[in-house]
Amino acid sequence: MNHPSRLLVLLTLSITSLGFAQDTLRVSKQELGQKVLEQNLQIKIARQAYESARADYRQSEAVFLPSISASYTGISTTNPLMAFGSKLNQEILTAADFNPALLNDPKKTKNFATKFEVLQPLINADGWAARGAAKTKMEAYQLQSDRIGEYQQLELNKAYMQLQLAYKAVQVIKKAKATALANLKLIQNYFKQGMVQKTDVLMVQVRVNEIENQVQYAQSNVQNASDYLHFLLGETDTQKVYAPTEVLKYEPSVKTFENKLPENRKDLQAMTKSSEAYLKMSVSDQYSFLPRLNAFGSYELYDTEFLGTAAKGYTVGAQLSWNIFDGYKTLGKAQKSKAEYKKSTTELEQYKAQSQLELSKTLRQLADAQNKHNLAQLALEQSQEAYRIRQNRFGQGLEKTTDLLAAETQQLQKELELDAAVFEFQFTQTYLEFLTQ
């Protein structure tokens, strides 16, 4: 059986012996990856932000689509002007109605009016530019949502590796506990034979207790890593403890990473789109100084009776309006949007510089992590050989108990350090893939 297979068997055995009160659920990283896309709260928030931007874009269709409204009004009046106008609209005006006495003091007049109105924008340059800005903003939110999804996948990979590392630590510490118990049994036999002192037995018992505490701590780390996975998956029921189906192992990527930001990285594209949206809004505010041309029309029905339609009429026309001066309100708005555009371009430039800095740093960290792994591997092999030699010499009475315990402690420490180095390398490599995708 090869080394990874032995690790998988040992890990499986350790999982079944953790003794958690909750149920243990074995899951693969691929299975969790699909759940994150469907259930992660941060991704859901990003999608709703996109839907909000999409709704803003839909609202901008009003710049070329008509506005249609209908109203029904019923009045009863003795107001001279309203009474005369109502009769005129109802087409029931007679010569007798021009009697000054009736004009000045009319009788109660009823009027029921049905009105349909249509407003059709024709030329609204600022609205067209604002619609373009809304579309670009929507595209920026879509890219941002996609990037958040990629980031949550990165967080999932990290959390899954932490879970793997936690289980591996439990396995390593339990193996060390078995070794410590074997040493304790050996020391107790030696004590019965008068070959060692009582202090030697006590030192080994203390060591066994220390390892027992480490086991408890490692099991708590398993629970913590599992809880974080529950959080990433948007799950409120944390009764189940997750267990990985794969073992954390050292796997260098065959991909060659370049120290150059990819132009198609979604967060960079999103910020570029956002800057473009600010530019279009600035143009829209500048176009506000231009006149607007809109058409309008209405169709009206009048009668003295409720729901009556005895008299009819329509109105059509067009209006050219120009806001010449509004107390510097439009000018100030245009200046503000121009400043926001310049700010967005500066922020984009800064973000690219920070991203390049992060990429360069992570490339160096990957090289450091690889070197750290190689040294940790060598240190573990050396500590294992040192422990084997001291154990043999101890059996021959040539080593002190303290020396044996120190060698055993160092072996455990180096094994845990190697697992931590594997985690650091694998996550750094995964993070580098995220930075260059």
Side-chain angles (χ1 to χ4, degrees), residues 101-134:
L102 292 178
L103 286 175
N104 292 323
D105 188 17
K107 296 180 180 179
K108 181 174 66 174
T109 302
K110 294 182 179 180
N111 183 44
F112 295 93
T114 303
K115 188 175 184 179
F116 300 93
E117 291 183 288
V118 178
L119 298 175
Q120 175 62 58
L122 297 178
I123 300 177
N124 291 277
D126 58 332
W128 297 338
R131 175 172 168 78

PDB file of all heavy atoms in Angstrom, residues 101-134:
ATOM      1  N   ALA A 101     -76.498  86.694 -15.306  1.00  0.00           N
ATOM      2  CA  ALA A 101     -76.939  86.227 -13.981  1.00  0.00           C
ATOM      3  C   ALA A 101     -76.560  84.775 -13.768  1.00  0.00           C
ATOM      4  O   ALA A 101     -76.110  84.383 -12.686  1.00  0.00           O
ATOM      5  CB  ALA A 101     -78.448  86.431 -13.843  1.00  0.00           C
ATOM      6  N   LEU A 102     -76.741  83.941 -14.819  1.00  0.00           N
ATOM      7  CA  LEU A 102     -76.381  82.528 -14.708  1.00  0.00           C
ATOM      8  C   LEU A 102     -74.866  82.336 -14.732  1.00  0.00           C
ATOM      9  O   LEU A 102     -74.335  81.423 -14.086  1.00  0.00           O
ATOM     10  CB  LEU A 102     -77.041  81.738 -15.844  1.00  0.00           C
ATOM     11  CG  LEU A 102     -78.569  81.626 -15.796  1.00  0.00           C
ATOM     12  CD1 LEU A 102     -79.082  80.864 -17.024  1.00  0.00           C
ATOM     13  CD2 LEU A 102     -79.004  80.922 -14.512  1.00  0.00           C
ATOM     14  N   LEU A 103     -74.222  83.223 -15.499  1.00  0.00           N
ATOM     15  CA  LEU A 103     -72.752  83.100 -15.535  1.00  0.00           C
ATOM     16  C   LEU A 103     -72.148  83.426 -14.168  1.00  0.00           C
ATOM     17  O   LEU A 103     -71.210  82.759 -13.720  1.00  0.00           O
ATOM     18  CB  LEU A 103     -72.176  84.042 -16.597  1.00  0.00           C
ATOM     19  CG  LEU A 103     -72.361  83.624 -18.061  1.00  0.00           C
ATOM     20  CD1 LEU A 103     -71.840  84.714 -18.992  1.00  0.00           C
ATOM     21  CD2 LEU A 103     -71.619  82.311 -18.335  1.00  0.00           C
ATOM     22  N   ASN A 104     -72.691  84.448 -13.518  1.00  0.00           N
ATOM     23  CA  ASN A 104     -72.117  84.859 -12.235  1.00  0.00           C
ATOM     24  C   ASN A 104     -72.593  84.000 -11.061  1.00  0.00           C
ATOM     25  O   ASN A 104     -71.877  83.864 -10.069  1.00  0.00           O
ATOM     26  CB  ASN A 104     -72.474  86.324 -11.953  1.00  0.00           C
ATOM     27  CG  ASN A 104     -71.775  87.272 -12.925  1.00  0.00           C
ATOM     28  OD1 ASN A 104     -70.640  87.042 -13.304  1.00  0.00           O
ATOM     29  ND2 ASN A 104     -72.469  88.343 -13.313  1.00  0.00           N
ATOM     30  N   ASP A 105     -73.762  83.442 -11.179  1.00  0.00           N
ATOM     31  CA  ASP A 105     -74.299  82.640 -10.072  1.00  0.00           C
ATOM     32  C   ASP A 105     -74.955  81.383 -10.646  1.00  0.00           C
ATOM     33  O   ASP A 105     -76.186  81.264 -10.667  1.00  0.00           O
ATOM     34  CB  ASP A 105     -75.306  83.471  -9.281  1.00  0.00           C
ATOM     35  CG  ASP A 105     -75.744  82.773  -8.007  1.00  0.00           C
ATOM     36  OD1 ASP A 105     -75.031  81.818  -7.579  1.00  0.00           O
ATOM     37  OD2 ASP A 105     -76.787  83.165  -7.434  1.00  0.00           O
ATOM     38  N   PRO A 106     -74.124  80.423 -11.126  1.00  0.00           N
ATOM     39  CA  PRO A 106     -74.702  79.238 -11.785  1.00  0.00           C
ATOM     40  C   PRO A 106     -75.315  78.276 -10.780  1.00  0.00           C
ATOM     41  O   PRO A 106     -74.993  78.298  -9.591  1.00  0.00           O
ATOM     42  CB  PRO A 106     -73.491  78.618 -12.472  1.00  0.00           C
ATOM     43  CG  PRO A 106     -72.339  78.995 -11.602  1.00  0.00           C
ATOM     44  CD  PRO A 106     -72.654  80.368 -11.106  1.00  0.00           C
ATOM     45  N   LYS A 107     -76.225  77.486 -11.310  1.00  0.00           N
ATOM     46  CA  LYS A 107     -76.778  76.417 -10.489  1.00  0.00           C
ATOM     47  C   LYS A 107     -75.756  75.279 -10.358  1.00  0.00           C
ATOM     48  O   LYS A 107     -74.752  75.241 -11.062  1.00  0.00           O
ATOM     49  CB  LYS A 107     -78.067  75.895 -11.127  1.00  0.00           C
ATOM     50  CG  LYS A 107     -79.190  76.922 -11.190  1.00  0.00           C
ATOM     51  CD  LYS A 107     -80.435  76.322 -11.825  1.00  0.00           C
ATOM     52  CE  LYS A 107     -81.553  77.356 -11.894  1.00  0.00           C
ATOM     53  NZ  LYS A 107     -82.780  76.788 -12.540  1.00  0.00           N
ATOM     54  N   LYS A 108     -76.036  74.371  -9.465  1.00  0.00           N
ATOM     55  CA  LYS A 108     -75.124  73.242  -9.267  1.00  0.00           C
ATOM     56  C   LYS A 108     -74.981  72.451 -10.566  1.00  0.00           C
ATOM     57  O   LYS A 108     -75.987  72.099 -11.198  1.00  0.00           O
ATOM     58  CB  LYS A 108     -75.642  72.341  -8.159  1.00  0.00           C
ATOM     59  CG  LYS A 108     -74.722  71.151  -7.873  1.00  0.00           C
ATOM     60  CD  LYS A 108     -75.191  70.361  -6.673  1.00  0.00           C
ATOM     61  CE  LYS A 108     -76.521  69.685  -6.942  1.00  0.00           C
ATOM     62  NZ  LYS A 108     -76.916  68.787  -5.824  1.00  0.00           N
ATOM     63  N   THR A 109     -73.750  72.247 -10.958  1.00  0.00           N
ATOM     64  CA  THR A 109     -73.463  71.548 -12.207  1.00  0.00           C
ATOM     65  C   THR A 109     -72.630  70.296 -11.909  1.00  0.00           C
ATOM     66  O   THR A 109     -71.661  70.347 -11.142  1.00  0.00           O
ATOM     67  CB  THR A 109     -72.685  72.460 -13.172  1.00  0.00           C
ATOM     68  OG1 THR A 109     -73.456  73.640 -13.408  1.00  0.00           O
ATOM     69  CG2 THR A 109     -72.410  71.745 -14.482  1.00  0.00           C
ATOM     70  N   LYS A 110     -73.009  69.162 -12.523  1.00  0.00           N
ATOM     71  CA  LYS A 110     -72.264  67.905 -12.370  1.00  0.00           C
ATOM     72  C   LYS A 110     -71.436  67.634 -13.625  1.00  0.00           C
ATOM     73  O   LYS A 110     -71.877  67.951 -14.733  1.00  0.00           O
ATOM     74  CB  LYS A 110     -73.216  66.739 -12.120  1.00  0.00           C
ATOM     75  CG  LYS A 110     -73.966  66.809 -10.808  1.00  0.00           C
ATOM     76  CD  LYS A 110     -74.847  65.574 -10.629  1.00  0.00           C
ATOM     77  CE  LYS A 110     -75.581  65.620  -9.298  1.00  0.00           C
ATOM     78  NZ  LYS A 110     -76.456  64.420  -9.118  1.00  0.00           N
ATOM     79  N   ASN A 111     -70.307  67.049 -13.412  1.00  0.00           N
ATOM     80  CA  ASN A 111     -69.456  66.703 -14.552  1.00  0.00           C
ATOM     81  C   ASN A 111     -68.674  65.429 -14.229  1.00  0.00           C
ATOM     82  O   ASN A 111     -68.036  65.313 -13.176  1.00  0.00           O
ATOM     83  CB  ASN A 111     -68.486  67.841 -14.864  1.00  0.00           C
ATOM     84  CG  ASN A 111     -67.646  67.534 -16.100  1.00  0.00           C
ATOM     85  OD1 ASN A 111     -68.183  67.057 -17.106  1.00  0.00           O
ATOM     86  ND2 ASN A 111     -66.356  67.787 -16.037  1.00  0.00           N
ATOM     87  N   PHE A 112     -68.758  64.456 -15.139  1.00  0.00           N
ATOM     88  CA  PHE A 112     -68.004  63.215 -15.014  1.00  0.00           C
ATOM     89  C   PHE A 112     -67.069  63.127 -16.210  1.00  0.00           C
ATOM     90  O   PHE A 112     -67.521  63.178 -17.362  1.00  0.00           O
ATOM     91  CB  PHE A 112     -68.940  62.006 -14.959  1.00  0.00           C
ATOM     92  CG  PHE A 112     -69.804  62.000 -13.736  1.00  0.00           C
ATOM     93  CD1 PHE A 112     -71.083  62.562 -13.758  1.00  0.00           C
ATOM     94  CD2 PHE A 112     -69.340  61.445 -12.555  1.00  0.00           C
ATOM     95  CE1 PHE A 112     -71.883  62.558 -12.626  1.00  0.00           C
ATOM     96  CE2 PHE A 112     -70.147  61.434 -11.417  1.00  0.00           C
ATOM     97  CZ  PHE A 112     -71.409  61.997 -11.452  1.00  0.00           C
ATOM     98  N   ALA A 113     -65.753  62.991 -15.922  1.00  0.00           N
ATOM     99  CA  ALA A 113     -64.751  63.044 -16.997  1.00  0.00           C
ATOM    100  C   ALA A 113     -63.867  61.803 -16.966  1.00  0.00           C
ATOM    101  O   ALA A 113     -63.359  61.399 -15.912  1.00  0.00           O
ATOM    102  CB  ALA A 113     -63.888  64.295 -16.854  1.00  0.00           C
ATOM    103  N   THR A 114     -63.713  61.187 -18.137  1.00  0.00           N
ATOM    104  CA  THR A 114     -62.763  60.090 -18.333  1.00  0.00           C
ATOM    105  C   THR A 114     -61.632  60.604 -19.217  1.00  0.00           C
ATOM    106  O   THR A 114     -61.898  61.176 -20.276  1.00  0.00           O
ATOM    107  CB  THR A 114     -63.437  58.884 -19.005  1.00  0.00           C
ATOM    108  OG1 THR A 114     -64.557  58.472 -18.214  1.00  0.00           O
ATOM    109  CG2 THR A 114     -62.454  57.734 -19.151  1.00  0.00           C
ATOM    110  N   LYS A 115     -60.397  60.399 -18.764  1.00  0.00           N
ATOM    111  CA  LYS A 115     -59.263  60.985 -19.482  1.00  0.00           C
ATOM    112  C   LYS A 115     -58.147  59.963 -19.651  1.00  0.00           C
ATOM    113  O   LYS A 115     -57.746  59.310 -18.699  1.00  0.00           O
ATOM    114  CB  LYS A 115     -58.737  62.201 -18.726  1.00  0.00           C
ATOM    115  CG  LYS A 115     -57.681  62.995 -19.486  1.00  0.00           C
ATOM    116  CD  LYS A 115     -57.310  64.256 -18.712  1.00  0.00           C
ATOM    117  CE  LYS A 115     -56.324  65.107 -19.494  1.00  0.00           C
ATOM    118  NZ  LYS A 115     -55.966  66.352 -18.752  1.00  0.00           N
ATOM    119  N   PHE A 116     -57.664  59.832 -20.871  1.00  0.00           N
ATOM    120  CA  PHE A 116     -56.504  58.984 -21.187  1.00  0.00           C
ATOM    121  C   PHE A 116     -55.372  59.897 -21.663  1.00  0.00           C
ATOM    122  O   PHE A 116     -55.563  60.709 -22.574  1.00  0.00           O
ATOM    123  CB  PHE A 116     -56.850  57.967 -22.279  1.00  0.00           C
ATOM    124  CG  PHE A 116     -57.972  57.039 -21.912  1.00  0.00           C
ATOM    125  CD1 PHE A 116     -59.284  57.337 -22.264  1.00  0.00           C
ATOM    126  CD2 PHE A 116     -57.724  55.871 -21.204  1.00  0.00           C
ATOM    127  CE1 PHE A 116     -60.321  56.499 -21.928  1.00  0.00           C
ATOM    128  CE2 PHE A 116     -58.769  55.029 -20.865  1.00  0.00           C
ATOM    129  CZ  PHE A 116     -60.063  55.328 -21.224  1.00  0.00           C
ATOM    130  N   GLU A 117     -54.172  59.742 -21.050  1.00  0.00           N
ATOM    131  CA  GLU A 117     -53.029  60.587 -21.396  1.00  0.00           C
ATOM    132  C   GLU A 117     -51.845  59.736 -21.837  1.00  0.00           C
ATOM    133  O   GLU A 117     -51.597  58.667 -21.269  1.00  0.00           O
ATOM    134  CB  GLU A 117     -52.608  61.448 -20.199  1.00  0.00           C
ATOM    135  CG  GLU A 117     -53.598  62.534 -19.832  1.00  0.00           C
ATOM    136  CD  GLU A 117     -53.084  63.396 -18.698  1.00  0.00           C
ATOM    137  OE1 GLU A 117     -53.057  62.893 -17.553  1.00  0.00           O
ATOM    138  OE2 GLU A 117     -52.689  64.554 -18.958  1.00  0.00           O
ATOM    139  N   VAL A 118     -51.133  60.241 -22.823  1.00  0.00           N
ATOM    140  CA  VAL A 118     -49.923  59.585 -23.329  1.00  0.00           C
ATOM    141  C   VAL A 118     -48.806  60.627 -23.394  1.00  0.00           C
ATOM    142  O   VAL A 118     -48.998  61.706 -23.974  1.00  0.00           O
ATOM    143  CB  VAL A 118     -50.145  58.962 -24.724  1.00  0.00           C
ATOM    144  CG1 VAL A 118     -48.835  58.333 -25.222  1.00  0.00           C
ATOM    145  CG2 VAL A 118     -51.250  57.919 -24.676  1.00  0.00           C
ATOM    146  N   LEU A 119     -47.648  60.285 -22.780  1.00  0.00           N
ATOM    147  CA  LEU A 119     -46.458  61.130 -22.869  1.00  0.00           C
ATOM    148  C   LEU A 119     -45.366  60.318 -23.560  1.00  0.00           C
ATOM    149  O   LEU A 119     -45.019  59.222 -23.109  1.00  0.00           O
ATOM    150  CB  LEU A 119     -45.992  61.567 -21.473  1.00  0.00           C
ATOM    151  CG  LEU A 119     -46.979  62.419 -20.665  1.00  0.00           C
ATOM    152  CD1 LEU A 119     -46.426  62.672 -19.264  1.00  0.00           C
ATOM    153  CD2 LEU A 119     -47.261  63.734 -21.371  1.00  0.00           C
ATOM    154  N   GLN A 120     -44.834  60.828 -24.653  1.00  0.00           N
ATOM    155  CA  GLN A 120     -43.837  60.103 -25.443  1.00  0.00           C
ATOM    156  C   GLN A 120     -42.543  60.931 -25.539  1.00  0.00           C
ATOM    157  O   GLN A 120     -42.509  61.965 -26.202  1.00  0.00           O
ATOM    158  CB  GLN A 120     -44.374  59.827 -26.850  1.00  0.00           C
ATOM    159  CG  GLN A 120     -43.360  59.177 -27.789  1.00  0.00           C
ATOM    160  CD  GLN A 120     -42.911  57.815 -27.290  1.00  0.00           C
ATOM    161  OE1 GLN A 120     -43.727  56.930 -27.093  1.00  0.00           O
ATOM    162  NE2 GLN A 120     -41.609  57.647 -27.067  1.00  0.00           N
ATOM    163  N   PRO A 121     -41.459  60.443 -24.881  1.00  0.00           N
ATOM    164  CA  PRO A 121     -40.182  61.145 -25.036  1.00  0.00           C
ATOM    165  C   PRO A 121     -39.671  61.024 -26.476  1.00  0.00           C
ATOM    166  O   PRO A 121     -39.757  59.952 -27.082  1.00  0.00           O
ATOM    167  CB  PRO A 121     -39.251  60.409 -24.064  1.00  0.00           C
ATOM    168  CG  PRO A 121     -40.155  59.676 -23.123  1.00  0.00           C
ATOM    169  CD  PRO A 121     -41.362  59.327 -23.928  1.00  0.00           C
ATOM    170  N   LEU A 122     -39.161  62.104 -27.011  1.00  0.00           N
ATOM    171  CA  LEU A 122     -38.608  62.097 -28.369  1.00  0.00           C
ATOM    172  C   LEU A 122     -37.095  62.298 -28.357  1.00  0.00           C
ATOM    173  O   LEU A 122     -36.352  61.475 -28.884  1.00  0.00           O
ATOM    174  CB  LEU A 122     -39.292  63.183 -29.213  1.00  0.00           C
ATOM    175  CG  LEU A 122     -40.799  63.012 -29.433  1.00  0.00           C
ATOM    176  CD1 LEU A 122     -41.353  64.173 -30.244  1.00  0.00           C
ATOM    177  CD2 LEU A 122     -41.091  61.682 -30.122  1.00  0.00           C
ATOM    178  N   ILE A 123     -36.655  63.393 -27.786  1.00  0.00           N
ATOM    179  CA  ILE A 123     -35.221  63.673 -27.713  1.00  0.00           C
ATOM    180  C   ILE A 123     -34.866  64.009 -26.264  1.00  0.00           C
ATOM    181  O   ILE A 123     -35.235  65.068 -25.755  1.00  0.00           O
ATOM    182  CB  ILE A 123     -34.814  64.834 -28.645  1.00  0.00           C
ATOM    183  CG1 ILE A 123     -35.161  64.493 -30.100  1.00  0.00           C
ATOM    184  CG2 ILE A 123     -33.325  65.135 -28.501  1.00  0.00           C
ATOM    185  CD1 ILE A 123     -34.848  65.624 -31.073  1.00  0.00           C
ATOM    186  N   ASN A 124     -34.173  63.083 -25.588  1.00  0.00           N
ATOM    187  CA  ASN A 124     -33.696  63.283 -24.222  1.00  0.00           C
ATOM    188  C   ASN A 124     -32.264  62.766 -24.146  1.00  0.00           C
ATOM    189  O   ASN A 124     -32.018  61.607 -23.769  1.00  0.00           O
ATOM    190  CB  ASN A 124     -34.577  62.540 -23.211  1.00  0.00           C
ATOM    191  CG  ASN A 124     -35.969  63.154 -23.106  1.00  0.00           C
ATOM    192  OD1 ASN A 124     -36.197  64.114 -22.401  1.00  0.00           O
ATOM    193  ND2 ASN A 124     -36.904  62.576 -23.863  1.00  0.00           N
ATOM    194  N   ALA A 125     -31.318  63.584 -24.541  1.00  0.00           N
ATOM    195  CA  ALA A 125     -29.915  63.162 -24.624  1.00  0.00           C
ATOM    196  C   ALA A 125     -29.378  62.716 -23.276  1.00  0.00           C
ATOM    197  O   ALA A 125     -28.631  61.730 -23.183  1.00  0.00           O
ATOM    198  CB  ALA A 125     -29.063  64.301 -25.183  1.00  0.00           C
ATOM    199  N   ASP A 126     -29.751  63.409 -22.207  1.00  0.00           N
ATOM    200  CA  ASP A 126     -29.253  63.033 -20.888  1.00  0.00           C
ATOM    201  C   ASP A 126     -29.809  61.680 -20.451  1.00  0.00           C
ATOM    202  O   ASP A 126     -29.122  60.874 -19.813  1.00  0.00           O
ATOM    203  CB  ASP A 126     -29.592  64.107 -19.853  1.00  0.00           C
ATOM    204  CG  ASP A 126     -31.090  64.364 -19.765  1.00  0.00           C
ATOM    205  OD1 ASP A 126     -31.791  64.152 -20.775  1.00  0.00           O
ATOM    206  OD2 ASP A 126     -31.552  64.783 -18.690  1.00  0.00           O
ATOM    207  N   GLY A 127     -31.065  61.409 -20.815  1.00  0.00           N
ATOM    208  CA  GLY A 127     -31.665  60.120 -20.485  1.00  0.00           C
ATOM    209  C   GLY A 127     -31.005  58.973 -21.216  1.00  0.00           C
ATOM    210  O   GLY A 127     -30.813  57.884 -20.646  1.00  0.00           O
ATOM    211  N   TRP A 128     -30.654  59.187 -22.472  1.00  0.00           N
ATOM    212  CA  TRP A 128     -29.967  58.135 -23.230  1.00  0.00           C
ATOM    213  C   TRP A 128     -28.619  57.795 -22.599  1.00  0.00           C
ATOM    214  O   TRP A 128     -28.253  56.630 -22.475  1.00  0.00           O
ATOM    215  CB  TRP A 128     -29.781  58.577 -24.679  1.00  0.00           C
ATOM    216  CG  TRP A 128     -31.065  58.789 -25.417  1.00  0.00           C
ATOM    217  CD1 TRP A 128     -32.285  58.248 -25.114  1.00  0.00           C
ATOM    218  CD2 TRP A 128     -31.263  59.608 -26.577  1.00  0.00           C
ATOM    219  NE1 TRP A 128     -33.234  58.669 -26.001  1.00  0.00           N
ATOM    220  CE2 TRP A 128     -32.646  59.511 -26.922  1.00  0.00           C
ATOM    221  CE3 TRP A 128     -30.446  60.410 -27.359  1.00  0.00           C
ATOM    222  CZ2 TRP A 128     -33.188  60.180 -28.015  1.00  0.00           C
ATOM    223  CZ3 TRP A 128     -30.995  61.079 -28.443  1.00  0.00           C
ATOM    224  CH2 TRP A 128     -32.345  60.968 -28.764  1.00  0.00           C
ATOM    225  N   ALA A 129     -27.874  58.828 -22.222  1.00  0.00           N
ATOM    226  CA  ALA A 129     -26.567  58.599 -21.595  1.00  0.00           C
ATOM    227  C   ALA A 129     -26.734  57.912 -20.238  1.00  0.00           C
ATOM    228  O   ALA A 129     -25.951  57.025 -19.876  1.00  0.00           O
ATOM    229  CB  ALA A 129     -25.817  59.917 -21.437  1.00  0.00           C
ATOM    230  N   ALA A 130     -27.760  58.304 -19.484  1.00  0.00           N
ATOM    231  CA  ALA A 130     -28.002  57.679 -18.182  1.00  0.00           C
ATOM    232  C   ALA A 130     -28.380  56.217 -18.339  1.00  0.00           C
ATOM    233  O   ALA A 130     -28.015  55.367 -17.525  1.00  0.00           O
ATOM    234  CB  ALA A 130     -29.112  58.433 -17.445  1.00  0.00           C
ATOM    235  N   ARG A 131     -29.113  55.900 -19.427  1.00  0.00           N
ATOM    236  CA  ARG A 131     -29.460  54.498 -19.682  1.00  0.00           C
ATOM    237  C   ARG A 131     -28.201  53.686 -19.958  1.00  0.00           C
ATOM    238  O   ARG A 131     -28.053  52.555 -19.483  1.00  0.00           O
ATOM    239  CB  ARG A 131     -30.420  54.416 -20.863  1.00  0.00           C
ATOM    240  CG  ARG A 131     -30.749  52.986 -21.285  1.00  0.00           C
ATOM    241  CD  ARG A 131     -31.852  52.958 -22.330  1.00  0.00           C
ATOM    242  NE  ARG A 131     -31.988  51.655 -22.951  1.00  0.00           N
ATOM    243  CZ  ARG A 131     -32.587  50.611 -22.390  1.00  0.00           C
ATOM    244  NH1 ARG A 131     -33.103  50.724 -21.176  1.00  0.00           N
ATOM    245  NH2 ARG A 131     -32.681  49.463 -23.020  1.00  0.00           N
ATOM    246  N   GLY A 132     -27.274  54.251 -20.735  1.00  0.00           N
ATOM    247  CA  GLY A 132     -26.006  53.558 -20.981  1.00  0.00           C
ATOM    248  C   GLY A 132     -25.237  53.335 -19.699  1.00  0.00           C
ATOM    249  O   GLY A 132     -24.611  52.278 -19.506  1.00  0.00           O
ATOM    250  N   ALA A 133     -25.275  54.307 -18.777  1.00  0.00           N
ATOM    251  CA  ALA A 133     -24.597  54.165 -17.494  1.00  0.00           C
ATOM    252  C   ALA A 133     -25.231  53.055 -16.660  1.00  0.00           C
ATOM    253  O   ALA A 133     -24.536  52.272 -16.006  1.00  0.00           O
ATOM    254  CB  ALA A 133     -24.638  55.489 -16.733  1.00  0.00           C
ATOM    255  N   ALA A 134     -26.567  52.979 -16.695  1.00  0.00           N
ATOM    256  CA  ALA A 134     -27.265  51.932 -15.935  1.00  0.00           C
ATOM    257  C   ALA A 134     -26.923  50.544 -16.468  1.00  0.00           C
ATOM    258  O   ALA A 134     -26.754  49.596 -15.689  1.00  0.00           O
ATOM    259  CB  ALA A 134     -28.776  52.166 -16.007  1.00  0.00           C
TER     260      ALA A 134
END
